């Protein structure tokens, strides 16, 4: 039995770290950077929270309910610390950045608070927290991209992975907390991106998603050369025609024809663009400070369809933003119908303290109205998604096999270039292989087919 002496322990605590990740894919990529930094310092990653001496929660602040969920989780984890006081709990990521020292004060649930640009400082913060001091670093940086750190992959399939190409955001959408919690936009050295992708390929990965808050504004300048996002995408696509490349997220104001043309020249750049509209009403788009109009957005979609017929398009929608009327809402519905999205993430507006919208506008759409509008948007999108899948029936798609299907080991699961999940019988086939699948049927979430 370990013996505790005051708050110092004479037995070293387990150097195993458990990390739980909330929020976007960027956070998933960050958790892999965190584990890499810690493994350089003698920590071993574990998926079992019960054997961990260090528990990290990588958090999201995008909506209030994301934060509430995390508070609930912290309270639940608190019982582990009651059993063994030596366990250290760290809150890292966007919520750490937003709430700063307030998190340390709140009910003493955590031992350290670390913002998204301070992960290199984790080993010393762990030391401080371990000797009973308040450990906090929430400094944002203008340079940090963790470019030199090789993330420790924690994905389940070993086939698809994320690579962060930039951090932060300069857009200042009025509803959004991201610029405050992730700081100013900075791009990562293209050479370090290329070498990370090469490394993934060598390890057997077959798909890489390039991540940034607004990938279209990626820019790397040297004395005599500027690398833009289309340049970077092409460079990565040329590494191996059998390596699929995806990217997220595009901003409609910056989505260029040049990018679309580059995509169309390389079949391994996937035929899918996530293009958040947020609203279909020009008045609301202006209040959101999105910097484009409904007409501009529609032009971008028309151009995608001309340059890359068959390219899937998905979106994000916020419903119930400040002052949104029934007419504004109808404009969002009509834009969705017109665009015929293959997929959408849909949210009720959630006021975030400190944002421009919180300061300037009143969150005046009643909760019941937000709920009603969200339900209408979801039911329209369900119809559009079903229609998009029906249109695929009878067609043949190249599918990258990612795993067994959830229901049976006789069936495999993978995705089309358009990012649609396909399930099919696949005896003798293995993950990482490409197969041509004829679509025979569809369910609400999945295409069903057979290898041809
Ligand atoms: N309330 C609701 N949804 C939001 N998003 C960003 N901020 C908010 C907010 N305050 C949504 C946007 C964005 C996605 C990642 O989250 O749709 O594109
Ligand atoms: Fe990602 Fe934004 Fe949530 Fe941070 S606040 S985890 S950047 S979605």
């Amino acid at each position: 039995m370990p013996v505790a002496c005051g708050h110092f322990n004479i037995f070293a605590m387990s150097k195993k770290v458990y990390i739980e990740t909330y929020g976007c894919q960027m956070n998933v990529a960050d958790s892999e950077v965190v584990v890499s930094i810690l493994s350089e310092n003698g920590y071993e990653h574990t998926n079992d929270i019960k054997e961990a001496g260090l528990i990290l929660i990588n958090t999201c602040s995008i909506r209030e309910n994301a934060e509430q969920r995390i508070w609930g989780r912290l309270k639940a984890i608190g019982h582990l610390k009651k059993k063994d006081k030596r366990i250290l709990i760290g809150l890292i990521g966007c919520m750490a950045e937003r709430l700063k020292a307030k998190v340390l004060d709140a009910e003493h649930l955590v031992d350290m608070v670390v913002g998204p640009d301070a992960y290199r400082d984790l080993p010393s913060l762990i030391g401080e927290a371990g000797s009973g001091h308040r450990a906090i670093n929430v400094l944002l940086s203008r340079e940090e991209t963790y470019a030199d750190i090789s993330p420790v992959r924690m994905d389940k399939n070993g086939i698809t992975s994320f690579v962060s190409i930039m951090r932060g955001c300069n857009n200042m959408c009025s509803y959004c907390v991201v610029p405050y919690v992730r700081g100013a936009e900075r791009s990562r050295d293209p050479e370090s991106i290329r070498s990370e992708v090469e490394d993934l390929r060598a390890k057997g990965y077959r798909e890489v998603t390039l991540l940034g808050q607004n990938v279209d504004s990626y820019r790397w300048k040297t004395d005599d050369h500027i690398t833009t996002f289309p340049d970077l995408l092409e460079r990565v696509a040329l590494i191996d025609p059998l390596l699929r490349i995806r990217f997220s997220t595009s901003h409609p104001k910056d989505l260029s024809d040049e990018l679309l043309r580059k995509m169309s020249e390389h079949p391994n750049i996937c035929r899918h663009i996530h293009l958040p509209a947020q609203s279909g009403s020009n008045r609301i788009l202006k209040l959101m400070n999105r910097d484009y109009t409904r007409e501009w957005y529609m032009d971008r979609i028309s151009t995608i369809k001309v340059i890359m017929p068959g390219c899937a398009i998905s979106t994000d929608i916020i419903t119930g933003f400040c002052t949104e009327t029934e007419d504004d809402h109808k404009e969002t519905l009509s834009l969705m119908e017109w665009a015929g999205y293959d997929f959408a993430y849909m949210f009720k507006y959630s006021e975030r303290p400190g944002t421009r919208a919180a300061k300037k506008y009143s969150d005046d759409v009643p909760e019941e109205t937000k709920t009603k509008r969200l339900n209408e948007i979801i039911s329209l999108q369900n119809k559009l998604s079903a229609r998009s899948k029906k249109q695929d029936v009878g067609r043949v798609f190249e599918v990258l096999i990612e795993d067994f299907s959830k229901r049976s080991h006789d069936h495999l699961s993978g995705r089309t270039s358009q990012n649609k999940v396909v399930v099919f019988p696949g005896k003798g086939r293995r993950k990482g292989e490409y197969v041509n699948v004829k679509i025979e049927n569809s369910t609400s979430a999945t295409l069903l087919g057979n290898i041809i």
Side-chain angles (χ1 to χ4, degrees):
M1 266 299 277
V3 182
C5 161
H7 66 258
F8 290 104
N9 307 306
I10 59 170
F11 282 85
M13 191 48 195
S14 142
K15 277 205 117 182
K16 288 199 173 164
V17 55
Y18 168 89
I19 184 161
E20 213 165 271
T21 307
Y22 294 83
C24 61
Q25 295 166 340
M26 191 66 98
N27 259 16
V28 175
D30 278 5
S31 287
E32 297 186 334
V33 165
V34 165
V35 171
S36 173
I37 291 170
L38 293 176
S39 65
E40 294 287 305
N41 285 272
Y43 274 87
E44 192 190 327
H45 173 245
T46 173
N47 283 317
D48 182 1
I49 193 168
K50 289 197 225 75
E51 62 173 28
L54 173 64
I55 299 171
L56 298 178
I57 312 293
N58 194 358
T59 58
C60 175
S61 281
I62 198 104
R63 283 169 289 275
E64 197 187 347
N65 57 12
E67 289 196 356
Q68 273 164 359
R69 218 175 124 213
I70 290 160
W71 281 122
R73 185 67 186 130
L74 280 175
K75 285 189 185 128
I77 290 171
H79 78 270
L80 292 171
K81 210 173 157 72
K82 282 199 190 109
K83 279 197 211 137
D84 185 343
K85 290 210 167 16
R86 298 169 310 161
I87 291 174
L88 293 179
I89 300 180
L91 188 97
I92 67 172
C94 298
M95 204 171 147
E97 191 63 50
R98 194 178 84 74
L99 295 169
K100 302 186 170 66
K102 278 184 233 155
V103 183
L104 284 173
D105 302 335
E107 302 172 49
H108 303 285
L109 290 171
V110 303
D111 303 291
M112 59 193 144
V113 175
V114 189
D117 285 348
Y119 296 149
R120 287 182 204 266
D121 201 20
L122 266 164
S124 82
L125 292 165
I126 294 166
E128 273 175 46
S131 53
H133 298 112
R134 286 159 66 97
I136 177 163
N137 187 343
V138 287
L139 289 175
L140 286 173
S141 154
R142 294 202 155 263
E143 287 94 34
E144 182 63 272
T145 59
Y146 300 112
D148 55 315
I149 291 174
S150 297
V152 171
R153 305 293 165 187
M154 291 189 289
D155 57 88
K156 296 210 175 70
N157 60 23
I159 301 298
T160 61
S161 190
F162 300 116
V163 171
S164 159
I165 63 162
M166 58 205 292
R167 300 180 72 81
C169 182
N170 284 353
N171 281 325
M172 302 309 255
C173 301
S174 64
Y175 50 79
C176 190
V177 78
V178 171
Y180 305 93
V181 293
R182 288 200 162 257
E185 181 184 290
R186 64 225 100 118
S187 297
R188 174 178 170 192
D189 181 344
E191 185 45 35
S192 76
I193 298 170
R194 191 201 52 74
S195 93
E196 190 176 326
V197 174
E198 288 268 18
D199 184 52
L200 284 165
R201 185 188 73 123
K203 290 187 171 126
Y205 284 85
R206 286 286 163 267
E207 184 184 293
V208 163
T209 303
L210 306 180
L211 293 178
Q213 239 73 45
N214 175 8
V215 289
D216 307 279
S217 62
Y218 175 90
R219 231 175 135 75
W220 182 262
K221 211 164 162 260
T222 54
D223 290 343
D224 56 351
H225 188 70
I226 293 177
T227 306
T228 63
F229 184 58
D231 300 335
L232 176 75
L233 196 57
E234 175 158 66
R235 201 162 154 190
V236 172
L238 286 172
I239 290 175
D240 180 352
L242 286 180
L243 184 73
R244 278 184 170 180
I245 312 298
R246 300 185 184 275
F247 57 88
S248 191
T249 297
S250 298
H251 194 304
K253 79 177 162 65
D254 297 322
L255 183 82
S256 67
D257 291 6
E258 192 202 346
L259 172 70
L260 300 176
R261 274 194 295 273
K262 275 274 146 65
M263 286 178 77
S264 72
E265 285 164 17
H266 299 277
N268 58 328
I269 304 180
C270 290
R271 296 320 190 223
H272 169 222
I273 297 183
H274 185 63
L275 199 64
Q278 312 299 3
S279 169
S281 151
N282 277 333
R283 194 181 67 81
I284 295 293
L285 287 172
K286 202 160 175 44
L287 292 179
M288 288 177 162
N289 199 32
R290 288 290 285 173
D291 233 10
Y292 56 83
T293 59
R294 175 189 175 96
E295 293 72 28
W296 169 273
Y297 183 89
M298 290 168 87
D299 171 74
R300 293 295 73 207
I301 292 209
S302 302
T303 310
I304 294 171
K305 290 186 173 168
V306 169
I307 297 181
M308 273 182 299
C311 181
I313 301 170
S314 56
T315 199
D316 292 345
I317 300 285
I318 298 177
T319 190
F321 187 67
C322 313
T323 78
E324 187 188 71
T325 63
E326 207 51 34
D327 281 349
D328 294 319
H329 170 58
K330 290 216 171 81
E331 294 223 61
T332 297
L333 290 170
S334 76
L335 179 70
M336 292 173 72
E337 184 95 50
W338 177 85
Y341 293 117
D342 298 277
F343 185 81
Y345 294 103
M346 298 154 283
F347 314 102
K348 286 190 223 176
Y349 171 60
S350 164
E351 187 178 80
R352 306 313 291 129
T355 57
R356 202 187 289 188
K359 286 184 199 143
K360 279 173 66 177
Y361 315 125
S362 125
D363 179 13
D364 56 358
V365 176
E367 189 57 29
E368 315 81 78
T369 312
K370 285 184 184 171
T371 306
K372 175 190 131 305
R373 289 180 189 164
L374 181 66
N375 287 338
E376 286 175 18
I377 284 170
I378 291 174
S379 86
L380 171 59
Q381 186 53 47
N382 286 343
K383 212 177 75 190
L384 298 176
S385 298
R387 189 195 295 163
S388 137
K389 288 197 190 68
K390 283 251 149 54
Q391 283 166 354
D392 291 339
V393 173
R395 293 185 185 158
V396 175
F397 290 91
E398 186 180 66
V399 174
L400 171 61
I401 304 174
E402 288 177 24
D403 223 326
F404 292 113
S405 99
K406 279 188 205 120
R407 296 229 181 97
S408 105
H409 272 212
D410 294 334
H411 284 70
L412 298 171
S413 157
R415 273 172 304 143
T416 64
S417 174
Q418 290 75 5
N419 209 26
K420 289 181 190 163
V421 175
V422 187
V423 170
F424 50 94
K427 264 222 158 74
R429 303 293 186 151
R430 286 194 310 194
K431 60 182 184 176
E433 275 182 52
Y434 288 98
V435 284
N436 286 321
V437 177
K438 182 165 186 206
I439 307 304
E440 314 285 357
N441 213 335
S442 65
T443 69
S444 61
T446 315
L447 298 173
L448 306 170
N450 287 301
I451 296 177
I452 55 161

